[in-house]
Amino acid sequence: MPELPEVETVRRELEPWLTGRTILKAERVDAPEGSKYSGLELASGQTIKTVNRRGKFLLLPLSHGDELIIHLGMTGVISPKDPGKHVRVKLSLSEGENPFLFFQDTRRFGRFLLVKAGNYSDLPTLFSMGPEPLSDDFNPGQFKAALQKSAMPIKPYLLSQKPVSGVGNIYADEALWASKVHPLTPAKKVAKRQIPLLVQMIKDVLAASIEAQGTTLNDYRTVNGEVGAYINELKAYGHKEEPCPRCGTAISKIVVAGRGTHFCPKCQKQSS
DNA sequence: CGAGTGCCCTGACAGC
DNA sequence: TGCTGTCAGGGCACTC
């Protein structure tokens, strides 16, 4: 499932490919008209200025004042080759290498739409998104203030994208494991001494995963069709009933706010 | 307005 | 073999 490291990996491949290319034609393929693809056709004739990323969203400012927004959802894959099945969007590009871009999205959770540049009012999560985790804007002082605002358990609060952007289910479990914070700890009750550690572990886990081109469980692929190798580095996620790498206790799996949640019941004590 | 719930969607897989 | 049921979850509409 694409989270920040996966989306950043894709962004790094898209940037040299798409920057300066003109979209000759933008079309929906096997995708209904609707808010997930709104205004897409209006990208036709516009030139891609660059490829940015905010949280899990790809942002492509265009020459005529619009911005193409791509979210990979759960199963979104961008490729220069026609994957044959579940293609939702096809872009035809101006002359150069790889003249077509295919957006494949098996489960249709993704988006590929156009807005006025910088106008994210129709995308509430992007609109009120927390700081980029790998920037200096995400630091213990800022994070402490953000945690004070919520009594939600820390895990779903991280998934809300509000205290920090880009963290999804896998990396939330990994960062909480690494910093020994129980996923059900109310955000405002995370121990003060653990806050700088949690900040650092979020940064470390995401940076290490970018190095490995992300985590492939099933569907995620890089633009070049490669899998993400970070799956081999996961300590808690997907390791139900296996020994905790730190203390040997069996990893627990519970459901928190509808999401599978893995943690070590011995290492990760709930603050009170 | 913050918080909680359920929905979208399809493929993989378990069980019979 | 083939059917049915369950699970996976990011973002958002909806509710209180």
Side-chain angles (χ1 to χ4, degrees):
Chain A
M1 51 216 72
E3 303 179 30
L4 186 145
E6 293 75 30
V7 178
E8 176 60 19
T9 299
V10 169
R11 190 203 67 77
R12 290 179 182 186
E13 294 175 287
L14 294 181
E15 188 176 33
W17 173 21
L18 299 180
T19 299
R21 298 288 282 274
T22 298
I23 300 168
L24 301 178
K25 189 176 181 188
E27 54 190 317
R28 281 180 290 109
V29 183
D30 189 18
E33 207 172 334
S35 60
K36 289 183 173 180
Y37 307 97
S38 68
L40 170 63
E41 291 80 1
L42 300 174
S44 303
Q46 301 201 47
T47 300
I48 299 167
K49 290 201 229 174
T50 187
V51 181
N52 296 324
R53 179 191 56 72
R54 187 77 174 85
K56 305 172 197 171
F57 291 81
L58 290 164
L59 309 174
L60 287 70
L62 304 179
S63 54
H64 298 6
D66 292 323
E67 192 168 330
L68 197 55
I69 299 191
I70 305 171
H71 195 291
L72 301 176
M74 292 290 296
T75 57
V77 174
I78 293 173
S79 171
K81 293 178 187 163
D82 188 347
K85 296 190 298 187
H86 310 306
V87 174
R88 308 302 171 201
V89 174
K90 178 181 177 185
L91 300 185
S92 304
L93 304 168
S94 54
E95 269 180 46
E97 213 172 332
N98 292 326
F100 299 107
L101 179 152
F102 297 90
F103 177 59
Q104 178 193 41
D105 184 19
T106 303
R107 287 168 65 183
R108 304 174 188 266
F109 281 14
R111 290 138 209 247
F112 206 118
L113 58 98
L114 209 71
V115 300
K116 291 291 170 198
N119 180 3
Y120 307 137
S121 54
D122 288 341
L123 298 148
T125 300
L126 181 57
F127 187 80
S128 52
M129 183 164 274
E132 280 297 312
L134 298 178
S135 77
D136 292 339
D137 293 340
F138 177 55
N139 58 64
Q142 168 274 335
F143 195 52
K144 184 181 170 189
L147 294 184
Q148 284 301 319
K149 291 180 186 168
S150 179
M152 280 176 79
I154 182 69
K155 162 113 188 230
Y157 192 47
L158 288 173
L159 297 185
S160 77
Q161 308 298 299
K162 286 181 178 154
V164 60
S165 64
V167 177
N169 203 44
I170 295 174
Y171 301 111
D173 281 4
E174 291 299 302
L176 291 171
W177 178 86
S179 49
K180 301 186 183 178
V181 175
H182 193 288
L184 291 178
T185 306
K188 60 169 65 171
K189 294 205 171 169
V190 173
K192 298 209 173 11
R193 62 183 166 74
Q194 280 181 305
I195 291 176
L197 180 62
L198 182 52
V199 167
Q200 195 56 49
M201 291 304 105
I202 289 171
K203 289 176 185 281
D204 286 359
V205 164
L206 294 176
S209 184
I210 290 172
E211 286 289 308
Q213 299 197 110
T215 300
T216 296
L217 296 179
N218 298 299
D219 301 282
Y220 163 70
R221 294 292 184 279
T222 72
V223 173
N224 288 325
E226 295 168 15
V227 298
Y230 197 74
I231 188 168
N232 302 312
E233 307 299 323
L234 298 177
K235 302 294 194 293
Y237 184 89
H239 291 287
K240 178 186 173 186
E241 290 171 17
E242 294 173 31
C244 167
R246 203 162 38 208
C247 77
T249 302
I251 295 290
S252 296
K253 183 182 179 188
I254 59 174
V255 175
V256 179
R259 304 295 181 253
T261 298
H262 310 71
F263 68 104
C264 173
K266 185 175 178 193
C267 292
Q268 294 167 261
K269 293 290 187 196
Q270 191 166 352
S271 317
S272 56

